Amino acid sequence: MSSTANGKNGTWRNWGGNVSARPAREIAPASVDELAAAVRRAAEDGLKVKAVGAGHSFTSIAATDGVLIRPQLLTGIRDIDRENMTVTVEAGTPLKRLNVALAREGLSLTNMGDIMEQTVSGATSTGTHGTGRDSGSIAAQIKGLELVTADGSVLSCSEKENPDVFAAARIGLGALGIVTAITFAVEPVFLLTAREEPMPFDKVLSDFEELWAENEHFEFYWFPHTGSTNTKRNNRSAGPEKPVPQLKSWIEDEFLSNGVFQVANWVGRAVPATIPAIAQISSKALSARTYTDIPYRVFTSPRRVRFVEMEYAVPRAAVVEALRELKAMVDRSGLRVSFPVEVRTAPADDIALSTASGRDSAYIAVHMFQGTPFQRYFTAAERIFTAHEGRPHWGKIHTRDAEYFSRVYPRFGEFTALRDRLDPDRRFQNDYLRRVLGA
């Protein structure tokens, strides 16, 4: 599921298949020193530098024609500090490996996204998040960062050390330096009870504030062309552990959510007229279920059906209105949308370019099956989101630029000033960063 670079022609592609790049050279450093040397050497050769994770971004945030840094040798846990309840990991560690390793140590992150194929640095640098009333994105759980800056020096930052860098670099878009290690806050592993059940779209919207207030982690999926949603509530539990039985898990999470869904999308791509009927069936395929397990087994699920995605954070107070507008738009547009719309929330945080920076946020994610034309749908959705001062996910498709971001991020100037200081020659620049941060 990772990005692939086939050595024959040296082309790198992302997971969604919508971005490719041909770097001048690729390097997989085995240590921080080697990485720093590679950055210095790139400067001598006049080449730009980009680090790439698992390729899970749908934007060209990691694309470069210069030096592509692959972090697969910079993996593993460096240190577990049980007194301060932190864990320090190498930047290339996949979230999946981090979650399993922490569980083995009786520890867990407080909150996580719903996919765990990404590297820790890729996920945090783009602002990957799950859903939470009180707990924020993965980056909001960072206590310390180590990064190699443009001159090849290694900089550590935390609330106490280089706090101005810490305020921005937790979601740094790869613009401030190459992250080499991350220190996360962790807690003793706990149990979550998940309650998944269908609910009418109108009811979810009319009860949204209550559903948000009464649950630690609330999210739902709306199936376009239907009035149906599937809701998911995750709350801490005293136990006992009651995981989904293996066969049931395979039927629901693999066969229905991935296998049958894949076939349904193939049919829908070939014959778009079938999509509304398929949506009606899909929205009823998954029945209600309740289970209790450790966090990563509840928060995350396998996503094998390839797609492209746009996601915007809007102020939480605006989400119901934005969703009503989205449904009205789909209903009158003649569009055929085979993928559900995902809705999640996050509390305000203090990271300069976090989509939840300074405001309680709700996320609306629209998806299209890989290989289907998505422009019309995404353009119409984006028009709705931006009317609510939406902030797009840095790793997902959007058309916004620096001028727009300077309006919707109060601390945008703080980030770009720091970038001027840390990377005056734009060693870490690429086309995407030029667009979203300005030249």
Side-chain angles (χ1 to χ4, degrees):
M1 200 156 152
S2 67
S3 52
T4 50
N6 36 34
K8 282 200 282 292
N9 61 5
T11 302
W12 169 84
R13 272 182 216 296
N14 69 337
W15 181 83
N18 64 317
V19 177
S20 60
R22 296 196 65 168
R25 58 176 183 246
E26 283 192 32
I27 295 171
S31 67
V32 176
D33 289 345
E34 250 179 66
L35 174 54
V39 171
R40 286 193 293 269
R41 198 161 57 248
E44 286 160 21
D45 299 342
L47 292 170
K48 304 288 189 197
V49 185
K50 285 290 4 133
V52 63
H56 250 272
S57 286
F58 301 99
T59 57
S60 51
I61 191 165
T64 186
D65 55 7
V67 179
L68 191 70
I69 305 278
R70 290 179 168 275
Q72 66 256 36
L73 301 179
L74 297 174
T75 64
I77 292 181
R78 263 192 205 182
D79 176 58
I80 295 176
D81 179 344
R82 288 184 189 271
E83 199 181 331
N84 294 307
M85 288 307 276
T86 61
V87 59
T88 302
V89 282
E90 306 276 343
T93 309
L95 286 169
K96 186 160 54 181
R97 279 183 54 194
L98 172 64
N99 288 335
V100 172
L102 287 178
R104 206 174 286 151
E105 295 284 345
L107 300 168
S108 176
L109 291 171
T110 299
N111 199 353
M112 51 194 83
D114 61 1
I115 298 179
M116 53 175 180
E117 305 299 320
Q118 313 99 312
T119 59
V120 292
S121 56
T124 53
S125 295
T126 54
T128 297
H129 61 89
T131 188
R133 181 188 58 204
D134 316 301
S135 52
S137 68
I138 306 177
Q141 299 167 69
I142 294 178
K143 289 287 175 210
L145 274 181
E146 176 187 89
L147 65 162
V148 170
T149 54
D151 60 4
S153 56
V154 182
L155 182 74
S156 294
C157 62
S158 64
E159 278 171 4
K160 294 190 179 70
E161 200 179 2
N162 297 304
D164 55 334
V165 178
F166 184 68
R170 283 170 288 169
I171 297 180
L173 318 186
L176 305 175
I178 294 179
V179 176
T180 47
I182 301 176
T183 301
F184 289 106
V186 290
E187 56 176 304
V189 73
F190 52 94
L191 292 173
L192 283 171
T193 291
R195 169 83 188 141
E196 298 174 13
E197 63 176 325
M199 196 180 284
F201 181 76
D202 291 334
K203 182 165 173 52
V204 174
L205 294 198
S206 60
D207 297 356
F208 185 80
E209 271 306 300
E210 279 157 68
L211 289 162
W212 169 80
E214 288 167 7
N215 295 284
E216 289 172 66
H217 309 275
F218 173 68
E219 65 184 305
F220 70 92
Y221 294 86
W222 164 57
F223 296 84
H225 316 299
T226 78
S228 313
T229 76
N230 207 14
T231 62
K232 187 170 178 178
R233 292 169 246 204
N234 300 329
N235 289 288
R236 291 190 185 224
S237 159
E241 218 168 304
K242 271 188 63 182
V244 181
Q246 244 174 332
L247 177 64
K248 192 170 160 52
S249 167
W250 181 83
I251 289 171
E252 293 173 344
D253 299 323
E254 286 295 348
F255 182 66
L256 290 175
S257 297
N258 284 300
V260 174
F261 190 53
Q262 175 85 51
V263 175
N265 273 284
W266 281 333
V267 173
R269 185 167 67 187
V271 191
T274 59
I275 286 174
I278 292 171
Q280 291 291 348
I281 298 164
S282 297
S283 70
K284 296 179 176 62
L286 295 171
S287 48
R289 63 178 185 174
T290 302
Y291 52 96
T292 302
D293 213 331
I294 61 174
Y296 82 85
R297 294 195 191 122
V298 174
F299 285 132
T300 69
S301 43
R303 292 268 184 273
R304 304 194 203 289
V305 182
R306 304 265 171 148
F307 54 82
V308 289
E309 180 179 0
M310 167 183 279
E311 181 186 66
Y312 266 76
V314 297
R316 204 185 73 237
V319 69
V320 169
E321 192 187 336
L323 283 163
R324 288 213 165 96
E325 291 165 9
L326 186 68
K327 185 174 191 302
M329 179 276 289
V330 171
D331 288 347
R332 67 167 183 265
S333 66
L335 285 164
R336 295 285 175 257
V337 181
S338 63
F339 247 86
V341 172
E342 183 179 23
V343 181
R344 296 176 287 177
T345 69
D349 65 38
D350 65 347
I351 306 170
L353 292 189
S354 163
T355 44
S357 183
R359 73 182 190 196
D360 289 345
S361 300
Y363 295 93
I364 306 174
V366 295
H367 310 70
M368 271 292 207
F369 184 48
Q370 190 180 42
T372 33
F374 59 83
Q375 278 81 1
R376 213 178 116 221
Y377 177 37
F378 284 13
T379 301
E382 191 173 44
R383 201 171 293 135
I384 292 167
F385 303 149
T386 53
H388 293 283
E389 297 202 325
R391 297 168 178 170
H393 188 301
W394 296 108
K396 297 175 186 178
I397 293 169
H398 66 88
T399 66
R400 302 295 90 190
D401 59 16
E403 196 266 327
Y404 178 82
F405 291 126
S406 65
R407 292 204 310 272
V408 296
Y409 282 101
R411 295 169 63 185
F412 188 74
E414 177 190 323
F415 187 96
T416 53
L418 181 66
R419 178 186 183 221
D420 288 341
R421 197 182 93 209
L422 292 179
D423 186 13
D425 302 329
R426 301 292 186 261
R427 184 66 44 219
F428 304 117
Q429 173 96 287
N430 64 4
D431 290 344
Y432 180 75
L433 292 183
R434 193 177 291 112
R435 168 162 72 94
V436 301
L437 296 176

